[in-house]
Amino acid sequence: GGSIVRNGPGGLTVGPESAGSEPGPACYARGGHEPTITDANAVLGYLNPETKLGERIGIDLDSARRVIQPIAQALGLSLTETALGIIKVANATMARALRRVTVERGIDGRDCTLLAFGGGGPMHAAGLADLYGLAQVVVPSASSAFSALGCLTADFSFLQQQTLRAALDGIDLARVSERIGTLIDDASAPLIANGVTGAEIQVELVALMRYAAQNDAVPVSFALPLDVARLKQDFLARHHELFGYATGEPCVIESVRVQARRPSTTVVGRPATAVRAVSSGKRICSFEGFHEIATAIIDRASLTETVAGPAIVEDAWSTVVVPPGWQAKPDLSGNLFLTRRAA
């Protein structure tokens, strides 16, 4: 949300510079003087100007408009059109990142569900899904604190990786197995030192493999005792999945990665929802193809049925944008499922 927007020779760019949390976006009225994604969201009406984050930080719409106005003048566009353009550029940047973690790993992202979290992630999720071709978005019930929740509920684990460089043809199985055993001991030692028994520890083994003439390695899971024929077969299958081909060329283990973990036993229920000071109603918002329309503002805690966009679903910490053509439906745990509406 703090990524700075610039209008350069090649058009609008978003980031990588950021206004950070100090001073933050201009609309926070804390000294920020450069336009950011959050300022564009404020101009479009997505952020509630009547509430304060942490009872301290409000939304100053005049400041948001003031920093975006020079870009609008330079482009010959209205403030609304400029703000929508900023959001489109931001979403395109995120879509490129999505392609890097899907297409480049042999995954068709269109078959996936987008998980949107953070205070601002759910504001961009539907637009990003439209751009990428995703059919569903999930906004978890604790979306604004999802990363912190992940830290609290994560497995207790340690990871070790060591270069090995062993050709599969003629491999010294005893030497390789000994080195893997040492890595397992090294990764398990911190757990044991913290009172975790050996019986509680689960070990995951991954070989980073490549053809002898390649540079980049492919991760392949394996188990002990090491079955060389099975490992090669799994490498060929994974290589074919990623790159569309596999050959009979010699292959090598570049390095071995060992992760020792004690699975988490933390149970998390539905988080409590803070009581909002502002009642639901309508606010003027703008979307791609729909400018300045009265948009339903819904308190997330009160949402029990499917709501059709355009709508803004708010809680005390985050904002979910449901644009025209989309709908949001809660489940019993408070998660929101955003899907495209049937034509």
Coordinates of all heavy atoms in Angstrom, one line a residue, residues 140-204:
P140 N -9.2 -14.9 4.4 CA -9.4 -15.6 5.7 C -10.0 -14.6 6.8 O -9.9 -13.4 6.7 CB -8.0 -16.0 6.1 CG -7.1 -15.1 5.3 CD -7.8 -14.8 4.0
S141 N -10.6 -15.2 7.8 CA -11.3 -14.4 8.8 C -10.3 -13.5 9.6 O -10.7 -12.4 10.0 CB -12.0 -15.4 9.8 OG -11.1 -16.3 10.4
A142 N -9.1 -13.9 9.8 CA -8.1 -13.1 10.4 C -7.2 -12.4 9.4 O -5.9 -12.4 9.5 CB -7.3 -13.9 11.4
S143 N -7.7 -11.9 8.3 CA -6.9 -11.5 7.1 C -5.9 -10.5 7.5 O -4.8 -10.6 7.0 CB -7.8 -11.0 6.0 OG -8.6 -10.0 6.4
S144 N -6.2 -9.5 8.3 CA -5.3 -8.4 8.6 C -4.1 -8.9 9.4 O -3.0 -8.3 9.4 CB -6.0 -7.3 9.2 OG -6.5 -7.7 10.5
A145 N -4.3 -9.9 10.2 CA -3.3 -10.4 11.1 C -2.8 -11.8 10.7 O -2.3 -12.6 11.5 CB -3.7 -10.4 12.5
F146 N -3.0 -12.2 9.4 CA -2.8 -13.5 8.9 C -1.3 -14.0 9.1 O -1.0 -15.1 9.5 CB -3.2 -13.7 7.5 CG -3.5 -15.1 7.1 CD1 -4.5 -15.8 7.7 CD2 -2.8 -15.7 6.0 CE1 -4.7 -17.1 7.3 CE2 -3.0 -17.0 5.6 CZ -4.0 -17.7 6.2
S147 N -0.4 -13.1 8.8 CA 1.0 -13.4 8.9 C 1.4 -13.6 10.4 O 2.1 -14.6 10.7 CB 1.9 -12.3 8.3 OG 1.7 -12.2 6.9
A148 N 0.9 -12.8 11.3 CA 1.2 -13.0 12.7 C 0.6 -14.3 13.2 O 1.2 -15.0 14.0 CB 0.6 -11.8 13.5
L149 N -0.6 -14.6 12.7 CA -1.3 -15.8 13.1 C -0.5 -17.0 12.6 O -0.3 -18.0 13.3 CB -2.7 -15.9 12.5 CG -3.5 -17.1 12.9 CD1 -3.8 -17.1 14.3 CD2 -4.8 -17.1 12.1
G150 N 0.1 -16.9 11.4 CA 1.0 -18.0 10.9 C 2.2 -18.2 11.7 O 2.6 -19.3 12.0
C151 N 2.8 -17.1 12.2 CA 3.9 -17.3 13.1 C 3.6 -18.0 14.4 O 4.3 -18.8 14.9 CB 4.5 -15.9 13.5 SG 5.3 -15.1 12.1
L152 N 2.4 -17.7 14.9 CA 2.0 -18.3 16.2 C 1.6 -19.8 16.0 O 1.8 -20.6 17.0 CB 0.7 -17.6 16.8 CG 1.0 -16.2 17.3 CD1 -0.4 -15.5 17.6 CD2 1.9 -16.2 18.5
T153 N 1.2 -20.2 14.8 CA 0.7 -21.5 14.6 C 1.7 -22.4 13.8 O 1.4 -23.5 13.5 CB -0.7 -21.5 13.9 OG1 -0.6 -20.9 12.7 CG2 -1.7 -20.8 14.8
A154 N 2.8 -21.8 13.4 CA 3.7 -22.5 12.5 C 4.4 -23.7 13.3 O 4.5 -23.7 14.5 CB 4.8 -21.5 12.0
D155 N 4.8 -24.7 12.5 CA 5.6 -25.8 13.0 C 6.9 -25.2 13.6 O 7.5 -24.2 13.1 CB 5.9 -26.8 12.0 CG 4.7 -27.5 11.5 OD1 3.6 -27.4 12.1 OD2 4.8 -28.1 10.4
F156 N 7.4 -25.9 14.6 CA 8.8 -25.5 15.2 C 9.8 -26.3 14.3 O 9.8 -27.5 14.4 CB 8.8 -26.0 16.6 CG 10.0 -25.6 17.4 CD1 10.8 -24.5 17.0 CD2 10.4 -26.2 18.6 CE1 12.0 -24.2 17.6 CE2 11.5 -25.9 19.3 CZ 12.3 -24.8 18.8
S157 N 10.5 -25.6 13.5 CA 11.4 -26.3 12.5 C 12.7 -25.6 12.3 O 12.9 -24.4 12.6 CB 10.6 -26.5 11.2 OG 10.5 -25.2 10.6
F158 N 13.7 -26.4 11.9 CA 15.0 -25.9 11.5 C 15.4 -26.6 10.2 O 15.0 -27.8 9.9 CB 16.0 -26.3 12.5 CG 15.9 -25.4 13.8 CD1 15.1 -25.8 14.8 CD2 16.6 -24.2 13.9 CE1 14.9 -25.0 15.9 CE2 16.5 -23.4 15.0 CZ 15.6 -23.8 16.1
L159 N 16.1 -25.9 9.3 CA 16.5 -26.3 8.0 C 18.0 -26.2 7.8 O 18.6 -25.2 8.2 CB 15.7 -25.5 7.0 CG 15.9 -25.9 5.5 CD1 14.6 -25.7 4.7 CD2 17.0 -25.1 4.8
Q160 N 18.5 -27.3 7.2 CA 20.0 -27.3 6.9 C 20.1 -27.7 5.4 O 19.4 -28.5 4.9 CB 20.7 -28.3 7.7 CG 20.8 -28.0 9.2 CD 21.9 -27.0 9.5 OE1 22.8 -26.8 8.7 NE2 21.8 -26.4 10.7
Q161 N 21.0 -27.0 4.7 CA 21.3 -27.3 3.3 C 22.8 -27.3 3.1 O 23.5 -26.5 3.6 CB 20.6 -26.4 2.4 CG 20.8 -26.7 0.9 CD 20.0 -25.9 0.0 OE1 18.8 -25.6 0.3 NE2 20.5 -25.5 -1.2
Q162 N 23.3 -28.3 2.4 CA 24.7 -28.5 2.1 C 24.9 -28.9 0.7 O 24.3 -29.8 0.2 CB 25.3 -29.5 3.1 CG 26.8 -29.5 3.1 CD 27.3 -30.5 4.2 OE1 27.6 -31.6 4.0 NE2 27.4 -29.9 5.4
T163 N 26.0 -28.3 0.1 CA 26.4 -28.7 -1.2 C 26.9 -30.1 -1.2 O 27.7 -30.5 -0.3 CB 27.4 -27.7 -1.8 OG1 26.9 -26.4 -1.8 CG2 27.9 -28.1 -3.2
L164 N 26.5 -30.9 -2.2 CA 27.0 -32.3 -2.2 C 27.7 -32.7 -3.5 O 28.8 -33.3 -3.5 CB 25.7 -33.2 -2.0 CG 26.0 -34.6 -1.5 CD1 26.5 -34.6 -0.1 CD2 24.7 -35.4 -1.5
R165 N 27.1 -32.3 -4.6 CA 27.7 -32.6 -6.0 C 28.1 -34.0 -6.1 O 29.3 -34.4 -6.1 CB 28.9 -31.7 -6.2 CG 28.5 -30.2 -6.4 CD 29.5 -29.4 -7.2 NE 29.1 -28.0 -7.3 CZ 29.5 -27.0 -6.5 NH1 30.4 -27.3 -5.6 NH2 29.1 -25.8 -6.7
A166 N 27.1 -34.9 -6.3 CA 27.3 -36.3 -6.5 C 26.6 -36.8 -7.7 O 25.4 -36.6 -7.8 CB 26.9 -37.1 -5.3
A167 N 27.3 -37.3 -8.7 CA 26.7 -37.8 -9.9 C 26.0 -39.1 -9.6 O 26.5 -40.0 -8.8 CB 27.8 -38.1 -11.0
L168 N 24.8 -39.3 -10.1 CA 24.0 -40.5 -9.8 C 24.7 -41.8 -10.3 O 24.7 -42.8 -9.7 CB 22.6 -40.4 -10.3 CG 21.6 -39.4 -9.6 CD1 20.2 -39.7 -10.1 CD2 21.7 -39.6 -8.1
D169 N 25.3 -41.6 -11.5 CA 26.0 -42.8 -12.1 C 27.3 -43.0 -11.2 O 28.2 -42.1 -11.2 CB 26.3 -42.6 -13.5 CG 25.1 -42.5 -14.4 OD1 24.0 -43.0 -14.0 OD2 25.2 -41.8 -15.5
G170 N 27.4 -44.1 -10.6 CA 28.6 -44.5 -9.8 C 28.6 -43.7 -8.5 O 29.7 -43.5 -7.9
I171 N 27.5 -43.4 -7.9 CA 27.4 -42.6 -6.7 C 27.9 -43.5 -5.5 O 27.7 -44.7 -5.5 CB 25.9 -42.2 -6.4 CG1 25.8 -41.3 -5.2 CG2 25.0 -43.4 -6.2 CD1 24.5 -40.7 -5.0
D172 N 28.7 -42.8 -4.6 CA 29.1 -43.5 -3.4 C 28.0 -43.4 -2.4 O 27.9 -42.4 -1.6 CB 30.4 -42.8 -2.9 CG 31.0 -43.5 -1.7 OD1 30.4 -44.3 -1.1 OD2 32.2 -43.2 -1.4
L173 N 27.2 -44.4 -2.4 CA 26.0 -44.4 -1.6 C 26.2 -44.3 -0.1 O 25.6 -43.5 0.7 CB 25.1 -45.6 -1.9 CG 23.6 -45.5 -1.5 CD1 23.0 -44.3 -2.2 CD2 22.9 -46.8 -2.0
A174 N 27.3 -45.0 0.4 CA 27.6 -44.9 1.8 C 28.0 -43.5 2.2 O 27.6 -43.0 3.3 CB 28.7 -45.9 2.1
R175 N 28.9 -42.9 1.4 CA 29.3 -41.5 1.8 C 28.2 -40.5 1.7 O 28.1 -39.7 2.7 CB 30.4 -41.1 0.8 CG 31.0 -39.7 1.1 CD 32.0 -39.3 0.0 NE 31.4 -39.0 -1.2 CZ 30.9 -37.8 -1.6 NH1 31.0 -36.8 -0.7 NH2 30.4 -37.6 -2.7
V176 N 27.4 -40.6 0.7 CA 26.2 -39.7 0.6 C 25.3 -39.8 1.8 O 24.8 -38.9 2.4 CB 25.5 -39.8 -0.8 CG1 24.2 -39.0 -0.8 CG2 26.5 -39.4 -1.9
S177 N 25.0 -41.1 2.1 CA 24.0 -41.4 3.2 C 24.6 -40.9 4.5 O 23.9 -40.4 5.4 CB 23.8 -42.9 3.2 OG 23.1 -43.3 2.1
E178 N 25.9 -41.0 4.7 CA 26.5 -40.5 5.9 C 26.4 -39.0 6.0 O 26.1 -38.5 7.1 CB 28.0 -40.9 5.9 CG 28.7 -40.5 7.2 CD 30.2 -40.8 7.2 OE1 30.6 -41.5 6.2 OE2 30.9 -40.5 8.1
R179 N 26.6 -38.3 4.9 CA 26.5 -36.8 5.0 C 25.0 -36.4 5.2 O 24.8 -35.4 5.9 CB 27.0 -36.2 3.7 CG 28.5 -36.4 3.6 CD 29.1 -35.7 2.3 NE 28.9 -34.2 2.4 CZ 29.3 -33.4 1.4 NH1 30.0 -33.9 0.4 NH2 29.1 -32.1 1.5
I180 N 24.1 -37.1 4.6 CA 22.7 -36.8 4.9 C 22.3 -37.1 6.3 O 21.6 -36.3 7.0 CB 21.8 -37.7 4.0 CG1 22.0 -37.2 2.5 CG2 20.3 -37.5 4.3 CD1 21.3 -38.1 1.5
G181 N 22.9 -38.1 6.9 CA 22.6 -38.4 8.3 C 23.2 -37.3 9.2 O 22.5 -36.9 10.2
T182 N 24.3 -36.8 8.9 CA 24.9 -35.7 9.6 C 24.0 -34.4 9.5 O 23.8 -33.7 10.5 CB 26.3 -35.3 9.1 OG1 27.2 -36.5 9.3 CG2 26.9 -34.2 9.9
L183 N 23.5 -34.2 8.4 CA 22.6 -33.0 8.2 C 21.3 -33.2 9.0 O 20.8 -32.2 9.6 CB 22.2 -32.9 6.7 CG 23.2 -32.1 5.8 CD1 22.7 -32.1 4.4 CD2 23.3 -30.7 6.3
I184 N 20.8 -34.4 9.1 CA 19.6 -34.7 9.9 C 19.9 -34.4 11.3 O 19.1 -33.8 12.1 CB 19.1 -36.1 9.7 CG1 18.6 -36.3 8.2 CG2 18.0 -36.5 10.7 CD1 18.3 -37.7 7.9
D185 N 21.1 -34.8 11.8 CA 21.4 -34.6 13.2 C 21.6 -33.1 13.5 O 21.1 -32.6 14.5 CB 22.8 -35.3 13.5 CG 22.6 -36.8 13.5 OD1 21.5 -37.3 13.7 OD2 23.7 -37.5 13.4
D186 N 22.2 -32.4 12.5 CA 22.4 -30.9 12.7 C 21.1 -30.2 12.8 O 20.9 -29.2 13.5 CB 23.3 -30.4 11.6 CG 24.7 -30.8 11.7 OD1 25.1 -31.3 12.7 OD2 25.4 -30.7 10.7
A187 N 20.1 -30.6 11.9 CA 18.8 -29.9 11.8 C 18.0 -30.3 13.1 O 17.1 -29.5 13.5 CB 18.1 -30.3 10.6
S188 N 18.2 -31.5 13.6 CA 17.4 -31.9 14.7 C 17.9 -31.4 16.1 O 17.1 -31.3 17.0 CB 17.3 -33.5 14.8 OG 16.8 -34.0 13.6
A189 N 19.2 -31.1 16.1 CA 19.8 -30.7 17.4 C 19.1 -29.5 18.0 O 18.9 -29.5 19.3 CB 21.3 -30.4 17.1
P190 N 18.8 -28.4 17.3 CA 18.1 -27.3 18.0 C 16.7 -27.7 18.6 O 16.4 -27.2 19.7 CB 17.9 -26.2 16.9 CG 19.0 -26.6 15.9 CD 19.1 -28.1 15.9
L191 N 16.0 -28.6 17.9 CA 14.8 -29.0 18.5 C 15.0 -29.8 19.8 O 14.3 -29.6 20.8 CB 14.0 -29.9 17.4 CG 13.5 -29.2 16.2 CD1 13.1 -30.2 15.1 CD2 12.4 -28.3 16.5
I192 N 15.9 -30.7 19.7 CA 16.2 -31.5 20.9 C 16.7 -30.7 22.1 O 16.3 -30.9 23.2 CB 17.3 -32.6 20.6 CG1 16.7 -33.6 19.5 CG2 17.7 -33.4 21.8 CD1 17.7 -34.6 19.0
A193 N 17.5 -29.6 21.7 CA 17.9 -28.7 22.8 C 16.8 -27.9 23.4 O 16.9 -27.5 24.5 CB 19.0 -27.7 22.2
N194 N 15.7 -27.8 22.7 CA 14.5 -27.1 23.2 C 13.5 -28.1 23.8 O 12.3 -27.7 24.0 CB 13.9 -26.3 22.1 CG 14.6 -25.0 21.9 OD1 14.3 -24.0 22.6 ND2 15.5 -24.9 21.0
G195 N 13.9 -29.3 24.1 CA 13.0 -30.2 24.8 C 12.1 -31.1 23.9 O 11.2 -31.8 24.4
V196 N 12.3 -31.1 22.6 CA 11.5 -31.9 21.7 C 12.2 -33.3 21.6 O 13.4 -33.4 21.4 CB 11.5 -31.3 20.3 CG1 10.6 -32.2 19.4 CG2 10.9 -29.9 20.4
T197 N 11.4 -34.3 21.8 CA 11.9 -35.7 21.8 C 12.1 -36.1 20.3 O 11.4 -35.6 19.4 CB 11.0 -36.6 22.5 OG1 9.7 -36.7 21.8 CG2 10.7 -36.2 23.9
G198 N 13.0 -37.1 20.1 CA 13.2 -37.6 18.8 C 12.0 -38.2 18.2 O 11.8 -38.1 16.9
A199 N 11.1 -38.7 19.0 CA 9.8 -39.3 18.4 C 8.9 -38.3 17.9 O 8.1 -38.6 17.0 CB 9.1 -40.1 19.5
E200 N 9.0 -37.0 18.3 CA 8.2 -35.9 17.9 C 8.7 -35.3 16.6 O 7.9 -34.6 15.9 CB 8.0 -34.9 18.9 CG 7.4 -35.3 20.2 CD 7.4 -34.1 21.2 OE1 8.4 -34.0 21.9 OE2 6.4 -33.4 21.3
I201 N 9.9 -35.6 16.2 CA 10.5 -34.9 15.1 C 10.2 -35.6 13.8 O 10.4 -36.8 13.6 CB 12.0 -34.8 15.3 CG1 12.4 -33.9 16.5 CG2 12.7 -34.1 14.1 CD1 13.8 -33.9 16.9
Q202 N 9.7 -34.8 12.8 CA 9.5 -35.2 11.5 C 10.6 -34.6 10.6 O 11.0 -33.5 10.7 CB 8.1 -34.8 10.9 CG 7.0 -35.5 11.7 CD 5.6 -35.1 11.1 OE1 5.6 -34.3 10.2 NE2 4.6 -35.6 11.7
V203 N 11.1 -35.4 9.7 CA 12.2 -35.0 8.8 C 11.8 -35.1 7.3 O 11.2 -36.1 6.9 CB 13.5 -35.9 9.0 CG1 14.6 -35.5 8.0 CG2 14.0 -35.8 10.4
E204 N 12.0 -34.0 6.6 CA 11.8 -33.9 5.2 C 13.1 -33.7 4.5 O 13.9 -32.9 4.8 CB 10.8 -32.7 4.9 CG 9.4 -32.9 5.4 CD 8.5 -31.7 5.1 OE1 9.0 -30.8 4.3 OE2 7.4 -31.7 5.5

